Amino acid sequence: MALLTILRYPDARLHKIAKPVTTFDDRLKKLVADMAETMYDAHGVGLAATQVDVHEQLILIDESDTRDQLRVLINPEIVWASEERSVYDEGCLSVPGIYDGVERPARVRVKAFDADGKVQTIEAEGLLAVCVQHEMDHLKGKVFVEYLSPLKRNRIKAKMQKEEREMKKERDPEMAR
Ligand code: NI
């Protein structure tokens, strides 16, 4: 297994559209294992393949407190969403340190394949419903900050770019001058 690099907002690659997975092979299983290691290492509740620069419809979620209930959703599709909506303070491994309220359907039913290509249907509510929708947005090239006001989004963008410059300076002081 290997830790993968998580793209940081506003990296343009976070806006690529993911393609459906067509082959359920060892390569896919290795990708799932590497993404799981990366998600747990970063203390994330979810991770979409888009965030590790792989543009295929694959998301991982583990919303459990025990961190041992990994869900693998491949080619996920929302087949039903409640009219009732709720607001949750979302965060994202691609936008570290930023949390803000996003309104979405409170409950969703999702159909997806698992890593073996078996179909599963998940009835999601609460945190799981939030995660499924947040991660599925990544596959469509959408980051949660795009739900916020332009003013907030621009502030977040500026903060991220400043941090990126500072990290570069630490890595390579010569280059950043
Ligand atoms: Ni995210």
Side-chain angles (χ1 to χ4, degrees):
M1 292 203 293
L3 283 180
L4 306 171
T5 302
I6 299 174
L7 299 178
R8 288 169 58 98
Y9 184 79
D11 193 308
R13 291 170 288 181
L14 285 169
H15 303 303
K16 284 194 188 179
I17 311 288
K19 293 199 173 76
V21 170
T22 52
T23 315
F24 294 80
D25 55 5
D26 287 345
R27 182 203 68 98
L28 182 68
K29 291 207 170 83
K30 178 168 190 316
L31 176 60
V32 168
D34 289 347
M35 279 178 58
E37 193 184 356
T38 304
M39 180 182 80
Y40 287 123
D41 179 73
H43 307 287
V45 177
L47 185 68
T50 307
Q51 293 176 275
V52 293
D53 201 21
V54 175
H55 303 282
E56 296 173 39
Q57 293 176 14
L58 160 63
I59 62 177
L60 302 188
I61 294 173
D62 187 345
E63 82 284 12
S64 72
D65 291 331
T66 45
R67 312 295 286 147
D68 57 359
Q69 306 290 317
L70 183 67
R71 297 173 189 267
V72 179
L73 279 75
I74 296 168
N75 302 347
E77 201 185 319
I78 291 179
V79 293
W80 175 82
S82 65
E83 270 175 42
E84 184 197 343
R85 296 170 73 83
S86 59
V87 179
Y88 194 92
D89 255 353
E90 297 190 16
C92 180
L93 292 177
S94 293
V95 201
I98 303 291
Y99 300 88
D100 213 325
V102 176
E103 188 189 300
R104 302 179 185 273
R107 284 168 289 133
V108 289
R109 184 178 304 132
V110 187
K111 232 174 86 177
F113 295 102
D114 67 13
D116 296 314
K118 263 189 296 195
V119 179
Q120 50 181 336
T121 302
I122 298 170
E123 305 285 340
E125 60 179 341
L127 177 58
L128 180 57
V130 172
C131 276
V132 165
Q133 296 175 81
H134 174 118
E135 301 309 331
M136 282 182 68
D137 273 351
H138 276 303
L139 302 181
K140 296 172 213 145
K142 188 163 184 175
V143 180
F144 87 100
V145 296
E146 289 167 64
Y147 289 99
L148 309 177
S149 70
L151 181 70
K152 272 189 183 173
R153 193 164 54 245
N154 286 333
R155 269 195 207 140
I156 292 167
K157 204 179 271 183
K159 184 172 183 280
M160 290 295 138
Q161 284 165 336
K162 183 165 176 265
E163 282 177 13
E164 187 75 40
R165 281 195 300 273
E166 278 161 11
M167 284 193 304
K168 257 188 207 138
K169 219 183 281 177
E170 263 171 46
R171 277 199 303 265
D172 195 344
E174 290 296 310
M175 286 288 289
R177 275 197 310 203

